[in-house]
Amino acid sequence: MSALESYLAPRRQRIEAALEALFPVHPPHPHRLIEAVRYSLLGGGKRLRPILALASCEAVGGDVDAALPFACALEMIHSYSLVHDDLPSMDDDALRRGRPTVHIAFGEGLAVLAGDALLTEAFAELLRAAERATAPLRALRAAREIAEAAGLRGMVGGQAADLAAEGADADLALVEFIHIRKTGALLLAAVRAGALVGGADESQLRALTRYGECLGLAFQVADDILDVEAPTMRTGKKVGRDGERRKATFPAVLGLPAAKARARELRGQALAAIDGFSSAADPLRALVRFVVDRAAGE
């Protein structure tokens, strides 16, 4: 087992257990709705956003127990976004993580409601965490940043721009505009929220912000490359879906070799941003290498 996997495995287990506890099998709620929520939330995934929150907290010497509710809320928001992105009115995908998407498995109406439930419960979890926090102002700041990253200025705004750009002739500026918001904003919020809850000072927060910006963009570049090159067995999604829909992607505007070079460049910038951190930040270093190396041919 690699050093990264040794780090990831126990944290994934903690995150999975915490998410499971938030949505028990037999709550006093509509059973089919809970099934759809659990199907989307507990059906696998890299858990990158919650792990980034925990790793960022640890990098500044914080207590991961304090960061865990924020990590769970981030994953709930991410899962809601996937459920809604897959809908026929959005990206119209039938496969996610190697399984039928939620609207295929449960129907479109229940998929919309499952996404709504995940988003709403995420903010309930953030507010519960703020109520319990020993530093409530830091917790509220972290919650606000997650909210902003998920909304008009972040993920939702990026998704709207992505839909508008489908089939159009996009340039690099537009692609970056879309993906800094659609993908990068929540990844950056994960890093910053973990750091804030962990007690980061302003210098640490600036460095981690730069790291998160570079990692967020690198993740999307890598994801775009994988959509072109990786088989369904590896990605859990249909190959070449972005090209079919004429999406605004990095390979589409740069070509594959230049997109891979851009991913490597962003990896270097992310690593440089946290060069002054101790070995406590090694998981963050390993994560950005993992994100890029899975797609950049290294």
Side-chain angles (χ1 to χ4, degrees):
M1 183 181 290
S2 69
L4 178 59
E5 191 53 42
S6 295
Y7 175 85
L8 293 177
R11 285 155 185 82
R12 280 199 191 112
Q13 289 174 2
R14 288 193 68 184
I15 292 161
E16 297 287 344
L19 291 172
E20 174 90 29
L22 287 168
F23 296 98
V25 178
H26 300 297
H29 307 300
H31 179 65
R32 189 69 172 160
L33 176 59
I34 290 296
E35 280 189 349
V37 167
R38 288 172 59 88
Y39 181 90
S40 62
L41 183 63
L42 303 174
K46 295 178 286 294
R47 308 304 190 200
L48 178 61
R49 289 149 193 84
I51 285 171
L52 279 170
L54 299 186
S56 184
C57 180
E58 290 178 296
V60 298
D63 178 6
V64 294
D65 287 338
L68 187 60
F70 297 85
C72 289
L74 284 156
E75 188 65 11
M76 290 154 70
I77 293 169
H78 175 57
S79 292
Y80 124 77
S81 75
L82 298 182
V83 174
H84 282 193
D85 282 359
D86 290 338
L87 290 169
S89 58
M90 301 283 276
D91 288 350
D92 193 19
D93 280 316
L95 199 64
R96 170 74 65 179
R97 294 170 178 164
R99 303 189 305 169
T101 49
V102 178
H103 71 273
I104 297 294
F106 292 86
E108 191 172 345
L110 211 55
V112 171
L113 292 172
D116 292 345
L118 283 163
L119 178 61
T120 309
E121 293 298 321
F123 288 106
E125 181 66 1
L126 289 172
L127 291 172
R128 286 191 292 265
E131 286 179 336
R132 298 190 301 265
T134 56
L137 289 180
R138 279 183 168 268
L140 286 170
R141 183 179 172 189
R144 188 201 73 210
E145 293 204 8
I146 291 170
E148 290 176 349
L152 285 172
R153 289 184 289 274
M155 186 174 65
V156 172
Q159 177 69 9
D162 188 40
L163 284 173
E166 264 187 33
D169 292 327
D171 58 15
L172 181 59
L174 177 58
V175 172
E176 291 198 345
F177 176 91
I178 291 168
H179 293 301
I180 284 170
R181 289 158 180 79
K182 181 181 176 182
T183 303
L186 203 62
L187 289 165
L188 174 58
V191 173
R192 282 181 58 87
L196 284 165
V197 174
D201 61 33
E202 287 304 314
S203 175
Q204 291 173 319
L205 193 58
R206 282 194 299 272
L208 287 167
T209 297
R210 180 59 181 156
Y211 166 89
E213 290 169 344
C214 294
L215 177 135
L217 204 53
F219 180 91
Q220 186 60 52
V221 178
D223 208 50
D224 287 352
I225 293 166
L226 289 170
D227 181 78
V228 176
E229 292 192 327
T232 298
M233 185 180 297
R234 183 175 172 193
T235 65
K237 298 183 288 186
K238 183 180 177 183
V239 181
R241 194 77 176 107
D242 290 343
E244 287 179 7
R245 295 179 63 87
R246 293 189 62 201
K247 287 279 193 180
T249 69
F250 287 94
V253 300
L254 295 176
L256 273 172
K260 292 179 179 181
R262 178 64 173 142
R264 291 191 289 267
E265 178 186 24
L266 288 162
R267 177 188 60 195
Q269 291 172 356
L271 291 170
I274 56 172
D275 188 56
F277 281 72
S278 72
S279 60
D282 281 352
L284 291 175
R285 297 181 177 103
L287 282 166
V288 74
R289 291 189 182 104
F290 166 76
V291 162
V292 172
D293 294 357
R294 67 197 176 111
E298 296 185 359

mmCIF file of all heavy atoms in Angstrom, residues 106-131:
data_model
loop_
_atom_site.group_PDB
_atom_site.id
_atom_site.type_symbol
_atom_site.label_atom_id
_atom_site.label_comp_id
_atom_site.label_asym_id
_atom_site.label_seq_id
_atom_site.Cartn_x
_atom_site.Cartn_y
_atom_site.Cartn_z
ATOM 1 N N PHE A 106 -34.109 5.936 -10.267
ATOM 2 C CA PHE A 106 -35.220 6.306 -9.398
ATOM 3 C C PHE A 106 -36.263 7.198 -10.064
ATOM 4 O O PHE A 106 -37.297 7.472 -9.461
ATOM 5 C CB PHE A 106 -34.695 7.021 -8.143
ATOM 6 C CG PHE A 106 -33.912 6.144 -7.224
ATOM 7 C CD1 PHE A 106 -32.550 5.952 -7.413
ATOM 8 C CD2 PHE A 106 -34.533 5.495 -6.165
ATOM 9 C CE1 PHE A 106 -31.818 5.139 -6.562
ATOM 10 C CE2 PHE A 106 -33.811 4.678 -5.311
ATOM 11 C CZ PHE A 106 -32.452 4.493 -5.509
ATOM 12 N N GLY A 107 -36.002 7.656 -11.262
ATOM 13 C CA GLY A 107 -36.914 8.579 -11.916
ATOM 14 C C GLY A 107 -36.454 10.018 -11.744
ATOM 15 O O GLY A 107 -35.790 10.368 -10.764
ATOM 16 N N GLU A 108 -36.816 10.852 -12.699
ATOM 17 C CA GLU A 108 -36.312 12.223 -12.725
ATOM 18 C C GLU A 108 -36.807 13.046 -11.540
ATOM 19 O O GLU A 108 -36.046 13.810 -10.942
ATOM 20 C CB GLU A 108 -36.717 12.890 -14.043
ATOM 21 C CG GLU A 108 -36.035 14.217 -14.279
ATOM 22 C CD GLU A 108 -36.301 14.758 -15.669
ATOM 23 O OE1 GLU A 108 -36.768 13.989 -16.532
ATOM 24 O OE2 GLU A 108 -36.037 15.955 -15.883
ATOM 25 N N GLY A 109 -38.078 12.910 -11.185
ATOM 26 C CA GLY A 109 -38.617 13.695 -10.083
ATOM 27 C C GLY A 109 -37.916 13.402 -8.772
ATOM 28 O O GLY A 109 -37.538 14.329 -8.035
ATOM 29 N N LEU A 110 -37.716 12.124 -8.479
ATOM 30 C CA LEU A 110 -37.050 11.762 -7.227
ATOM 31 C C LEU A 110 -35.573 12.156 -7.248
ATOM 32 O O LEU A 110 -35.003 12.482 -6.202
ATOM 33 C CB LEU A 110 -37.205 10.264 -6.971
ATOM 34 C CG LEU A 110 -37.250 9.844 -5.490
ATOM 35 C CD1 LEU A 110 -38.337 10.588 -4.741
ATOM 36 C CD2 LEU A 110 -37.451 8.348 -5.370
ATOM 37 N N ALA A 111 -34.951 12.146 -8.425
ATOM 38 C CA ALA A 111 -33.568 12.597 -8.521
ATOM 39 C C ALA A 111 -33.447 14.077 -8.162
ATOM 40 O O ALA A 111 -32.528 14.481 -7.443
ATOM 41 C CB ALA A 111 -33.027 12.349 -9.933
ATOM 42 N N VAL A 112 -34.374 14.892 -8.652
ATOM 43 C CA VAL A 112 -34.374 16.318 -8.305
ATOM 44 C C VAL A 112 -34.510 16.479 -6.795
ATOM 45 O O VAL A 112 -33.779 17.247 -6.157
ATOM 46 C CB VAL A 112 -35.508 17.061 -9.034
ATOM 47 C CG1 VAL A 112 -35.647 18.490 -8.509
ATOM 48 C CG2 VAL A 112 -35.242 17.080 -10.539
ATOM 49 N N LEU A 113 -35.439 15.745 -6.201
ATOM 50 C CA LEU A 113 -35.670 15.859 -4.763
ATOM 51 C C LEU A 113 -34.490 15.328 -3.953
ATOM 52 O O LEU A 113 -34.155 15.886 -2.895
ATOM 53 C CB LEU A 113 -36.947 15.114 -4.383
ATOM 54 C CG LEU A 113 -38.239 15.737 -4.912
ATOM 55 C CD1 LEU A 113 -39.422 14.823 -4.638
ATOM 56 C CD2 LEU A 113 -38.470 17.111 -4.300
ATOM 57 N N ALA A 114 -33.846 14.266 -4.415
ATOM 58 C CA ALA A 114 -32.662 13.751 -3.721
ATOM 59 C C ALA A 114 -31.551 14.800 -3.711
ATOM 60 O O ALA A 114 -30.886 15.007 -2.682
ATOM 61 C CB ALA A 114 -32.180 12.460 -4.384
ATOM 62 N N GLY A 115 -31.349 15.464 -4.853
ATOM 63 C CA GLY A 115 -30.361 16.534 -4.896
ATOM 64 C C GLY A 115 -30.730 17.673 -3.971
ATOM 65 O O GLY A 115 -29.881 18.208 -3.236
ATOM 66 N N ASP A 116 -32.004 18.059 -3.979
ATOM 67 C CA ASP A 116 -32.468 19.119 -3.078
ATOM 68 C C ASP A 116 -32.214 18.752 -1.623
ATOM 69 O O ASP A 116 -31.779 19.590 -0.821
ATOM 70 C CB ASP A 116 -33.969 19.352 -3.274
ATOM 71 C CG ASP A 116 -34.316 19.960 -4.622
ATOM 72 O OD1 ASP A 116 -33.402 20.464 -5.308
ATOM 73 O OD2 ASP A 116 -35.499 19.919 -5.002
ATOM 74 N N ALA A 117 -32.514 17.505 -1.263
ATOM 75 C CA ALA A 117 -32.330 17.057 0.117
ATOM 76 C C ALA A 117 -30.854 17.099 0.523
ATOM 77 O O ALA A 117 -30.511 17.550 1.620
ATOM 78 C CB ALA A 117 -32.884 15.642 0.283
ATOM 79 N N LEU A 118 -29.976 16.631 -0.357
ATOM 80 C CA LEU A 118 -28.552 16.642 -0.048
ATOM 81 C C LEU A 118 -28.026 18.053 0.168
ATOM 82 O O LEU A 118 -27.265 18.311 1.108
ATOM 83 C CB LEU A 118 -27.770 15.954 -1.177
ATOM 84 C CG LEU A 118 -27.821 14.428 -1.184
ATOM 85 C CD1 LEU A 118 -27.396 13.883 -2.536
ATOM 86 C CD2 LEU A 118 -26.932 13.868 -0.078
ATOM 87 N N LEU A 119 -28.430 18.970 -0.690
ATOM 88 C CA LEU A 119 -27.960 20.350 -0.557
ATOM 89 C C LEU A 119 -28.469 20.975 0.741
ATOM 90 O O LEU A 119 -27.701 21.599 1.490
ATOM 91 C CB LEU A 119 -28.425 21.178 -1.754
ATOM 92 C CG LEU A 119 -28.044 22.668 -1.732
ATOM 93 C CD1 LEU A 119 -26.541 22.854 -1.717
ATOM 94 C CD2 LEU A 119 -28.662 23.386 -2.927
ATOM 95 N N THR A 120 -29.748 20.794 1.030
ATOM 96 C CA THR A 120 -30.330 21.397 2.226
ATOM 97 C C THR A 120 -29.737 20.798 3.491
ATOM 98 O O THR A 120 -29.394 21.528 4.443
ATOM 99 C CB THR A 120 -31.860 21.204 2.215
ATOM 100 O OG1 THR A 120 -32.381 21.646 0.971
ATOM 101 C CG2 THR A 120 -32.516 22.001 3.324
ATOM 102 N N GLU A 121 -29.593 19.483 3.520
ATOM 103 C CA GLU A 121 -29.028 18.832 4.701
ATOM 104 C C GLU A 121 -27.558 19.196 4.900
ATOM 105 O O GLU A 121 -27.067 19.202 6.030
ATOM 106 C CB GLU A 121 -29.200 17.318 4.604
ATOM 107 C CG GLU A 121 -30.647 16.842 4.683
ATOM 108 C CD GLU A 121 -31.299 17.186 6.008
ATOM 109 O OE1 GLU A 121 -30.620 17.093 7.055
ATOM 110 O OE2 GLU A 121 -32.492 17.545 6.003
ATOM 111 N N ALA A 122 -26.861 19.498 3.826
ATOM 112 C CA ALA A 122 -25.468 19.934 3.962
ATOM 113 C C ALA A 122 -25.382 21.212 4.784
ATOM 114 O O ALA A 122 -24.517 21.348 5.664
ATOM 115 C CB ALA A 122 -24.845 20.148 2.579
ATOM 116 N N PHE A 123 -26.283 22.145 4.526
ATOM 117 C CA PHE A 123 -26.233 23.402 5.268
ATOM 118 C C PHE A 123 -26.734 23.229 6.696
ATOM 119 O O PHE A 123 -26.259 23.918 7.605
ATOM 120 C CB PHE A 123 -26.978 24.490 4.511
ATOM 121 C CG PHE A 123 -26.212 24.924 3.300
ATOM 122 C CD1 PHE A 123 -26.617 24.553 2.034
ATOM 123 C CD2 PHE A 123 -25.033 25.638 3.425
ATOM 124 C CE1 PHE A 123 -25.876 24.900 0.921
ATOM 125 C CE2 PHE A 123 -24.287 25.987 2.321
ATOM 126 C CZ PHE A 123 -24.706 25.633 1.056
ATOM 127 N N ALA A 124 -27.648 22.295 6.917
ATOM 128 C CA ALA A 124 -28.027 21.965 8.290
ATOM 129 C C ALA A 124 -26.825 21.430 9.061
ATOM 130 O O ALA A 124 -26.593 21.796 10.223
ATOM 131 C CB ALA A 124 -29.168 20.949 8.295
ATOM 132 N N GLU A 125 -26.032 20.579 8.414
ATOM 133 C CA GLU A 125 -24.841 20.027 9.060
ATOM 134 C C GLU A 125 -23.808 21.117 9.337
ATOM 135 O O GLU A 125 -23.168 21.130 10.398
ATOM 136 C CB GLU A 125 -24.246 18.920 8.189
ATOM 137 C CG GLU A 125 -23.001 18.248 8.756
ATOM 138 C CD GLU A 125 -23.243 17.449 10.026
ATOM 139 O OE1 GLU A 125 -24.384 17.365 10.511
ATOM 140 O OE2 GLU A 125 -22.249 16.912 10.546
ATOM 141 N N LEU A 126 -23.629 22.052 8.417
ATOM 142 C CA LEU A 126 -22.697 23.161 8.645
ATOM 143 C C LEU A 126 -23.123 24.011 9.839
ATOM 144 O O LEU A 126 -22.292 24.421 10.658
ATOM 145 C CB LEU A 126 -22.611 24.035 7.390
ATOM 146 C CG LEU A 126 -21.887 23.437 6.189
ATOM 147 C CD1 LEU A 126 -22.057 24.336 4.973
ATOM 148 C CD2 LEU A 126 -20.403 23.225 6.491
ATOM 149 N N LEU A 127 -24.404 24.285 9.956
ATOM 150 C CA LEU A 127 -24.885 25.106 11.065
ATOM 151 C C LEU A 127 -24.796 24.358 12.390
ATOM 152 O O LEU A 127 -24.470 24.962 13.427
ATOM 153 C CB LEU A 127 -26.317 25.556 10.792
ATOM 154 C CG LEU A 127 -26.455 26.560 9.642
ATOM 155 C CD1 LEU A 127 -27.917 26.801 9.304
ATOM 156 C CD2 LEU A 127 -25.767 27.878 9.991
ATOM 157 N N ARG A 128 -25.049 23.056 12.381
ATOM 158 C CA ARG A 128 -24.862 22.274 13.609
ATOM 159 C C ARG A 128 -23.400 22.315 14.042
ATOM 160 O O ARG A 128 -23.098 22.439 15.236
ATOM 161 C CB ARG A 128 -25.304 20.824 13.396
ATOM 162 C CG ARG A 128 -26.815 20.634 13.330
ATOM 163 C CD ARG A 128 -27.193 19.166 13.382
ATOM 164 N NE ARG A 128 -26.787 18.439 12.198
ATOM 165 C CZ ARG A 128 -27.570 18.215 11.147
ATOM 166 N NH1 ARG A 128 -28.807 18.689 11.116
ATOM 167 N NH2 ARG A 128 -27.124 17.512 10.111
ATOM 168 N N ALA A 129 -22.493 22.223 13.077
ATOM 169 C CA ALA A 129 -21.063 22.274 13.399
ATOM 170 C C ALA A 129 -20.681 23.634 13.973
ATOM 171 O O ALA A 129 -19.888 23.719 14.919
ATOM 172 C CB ALA A 129 -20.240 21.976 12.149
ATOM 173 N N ALA A 130 -21.233 24.701 13.414
ATOM 174 C CA ALA A 130 -20.935 26.040 13.917
ATOM 175 C C ALA A 130 -21.453 26.226 15.345
ATOM 176 O O ALA A 130 -20.808 26.872 16.174
ATOM 177 C CB ALA A 130 -21.535 27.092 12.990
ATOM 178 N N GLU A 131 -22.614 25.645 15.628
ATOM 179 C CA GLU A 131 -23.163 25.733 16.986
ATOM 180 C C GLU A 131 -22.259 25.054 18.009
ATOM 181 O O GLU A 131 -22.146 25.503 19.153
ATOM 182 C CB GLU A 131 -24.550 25.089 17.029
ATOM 183 C CG GLU A 131 -25.651 25.906 16.378
ATOM 184 C CD GLU A 131 -26.991 25.204 16.419
ATOM 185 O OE1 GLU A 131 -27.019 23.957 16.520
ATOM 186 O OE2 GLU A 131 -28.006 25.905 16.340
#
